[in-house]
Amino acid sequence: DGGITQSPKYLFRKEGQNVTLSCEQNLNHDAMYWYRQDPGQGLRLIYYSQIVNDFQKGDIAEGYSVSREKKESFPLTVTSAQKNPTAFYLCASSIWGKENYGYTFGSGTRLTVV
Amino acid sequence: RKEVEQDPGPFNVPEGATVAFNCTYSNSASQSFFWYRQDCRKEPKLLMSVYSSGNEDGRFTAQLNRASQYISLLIRDSKLSDSATYLCVVVRPGFKTIFGAGTRLFVKA
């Protein structure tokens, strides 16, 4: 079955440490997205990518980095520059230009700073 | 003012009740509209698109009012399993997708 796989499900980060969240899709979607969700807030866009080897900053890109070396994969690195990284991170994909079909989301990674 | 606004709730309703949620959006050029459902600590899942003429999917009815810039979701004959957070989603020109913060629904036995 096609879908999006995020790993790990839970991740604990120490202060000053970089961590990478994995996102893989087999839907053949062009576009991939990373969102952050905090309690009581809507999803906020971190980065998105329309095609391989290209990505754009979203609304809250500071302290994060991404790569898009393969169509299927869009990993997110949370760097030590992100001062408040504890949140629920969601990866999504869609057919670019067909957002009227909606997004498919992965099951999310819950990141906690310890 | 947020671009997409929803009443956070919670809405507490008994099984079998009819409940309606509204969502307002500020960008009049918005072009696509959706309702997503998010269960506690899970990812959002597409519930239904919202079309200009209104659309229905079983117990769920979605409406769009472009003049007043709001969309609505009506749930009839509520089930315990309908308990979730309902996210209003708006796509504006340039394919920028904006998520509302969600409305929480609790259906009680």
Side-chain angles (χ1 to χ4, degrees):
Chain A
D1 285 339
I4 299 183
T5 301
Q6 287 188 244
S7 63
K9 191 174 178 70
Y10 298 96
L11 186 58
F12 298 90
R13 192 194 93 167
K14 294 180 181 179
E15 295 280 354
Q17 189 179 43
N18 292 357
V19 292
T20 297
L21 284 58
S22 170
C23 177
E24 304 275 335
Q25 55 100 358
N26 60 3
L27 299 164
N28 200 33
H29 283 171
D30 310 300
M32 297 186 74
Y33 313 82
W34 274 105
Y35 285 90
R36 168 179 173 144
Q37 188 176 35
D38 295 281
Q41 296 194 37
L43 277 65
R44 292 184 290 167
L45 182 64
I46 303 172
Y47 268 98
Y48 66 99
S49 168
Q50 301 173 34
I51 57 172
V52 174
N53 292 322
D54 186 54
F55 47 83
Q56 309 295 328
K57 291 183 179 180
D59 301 316
I60 55 165
E62 185 174 350
Y64 300 97
S65 65
V66 293
S67 62
R68 187 87 185 276
E69 297 175 2
K70 299 186 299 181
K71 187 175 185 177
E72 302 80 18
S73 179
F74 192 41
L76 174 75
T77 296
V78 184
T79 74
S80 56
Q82 171 48 241
K83 296 306 177 190
N84 186 22
T86 294
F88 187 40
Y89 290 86
L90 288 157
C91 180
S93 71
S94 73
I95 302 170
W96 183 254
K98 300 290 185 185
E99 281 71 11
N100 54 311
Y101 294 149
Y103 285 6
T104 300
F105 282 91
S107 58
T109 293
R110 204 164 289 277
L111 174 63
T112 304
V113 173
V114 296
Chain B
R1 184 189 170 194
K2 293 181 181 178
E3 185 166 348
V4 175
E5 297 209 65
Q6 298 183 249
D7 181 343
F11 285 62
N12 295 291
V13 303
E15 269 188 298
T18 295
V19 62
F21 311 133
N22 279 344
C23 164
T24 59
Y25 61 94
S26 60
N27 190 322
S28 59
S30 297
Q31 54 199 35
S32 300
F33 308 88
F34 306 89
W35 284 102
Y36 280 73
R37 172 198 168 119
Q38 186 173 23
D39 292 297
C40 188
R41 301 178 73 83
K42 301 281 189 180
E43 75 275 21
K45 292 185 179 177
L46 181 62
L47 179 65
M48 58 197 303
S49 302
V50 187
Y51 302 122
S52 298
S53 54
N55 48 298
E56 191 173 302
D57 183 1
R59 298 182 293 108
F60 298 84
T61 300
Q63 299 265 348
L64 167 63
N65 185 318
R66 284 192 183 273
S68 300
Q69 295 182 205
Y70 75 85
I71 66 172
S72 64
L73 177 68
L74 182 78
I75 305 175
R76 291 182 299 278
D77 188 23
S78 298
K79 312 290 184 191
L80 294 176
S81 58
D82 293 335
S83 297
T85 297
Y86 291 84
L87 307 179
C88 168
V89 180
V90 173
V91 181
R92 50 174 161 89
F95 307 117
K96 180 71 182 292
T97 299
I98 310 297
F99 288 80
T103 297
R104 293 175 68 191
L105 171 65
F106 293 105
V107 182
K108 305 168 295 183

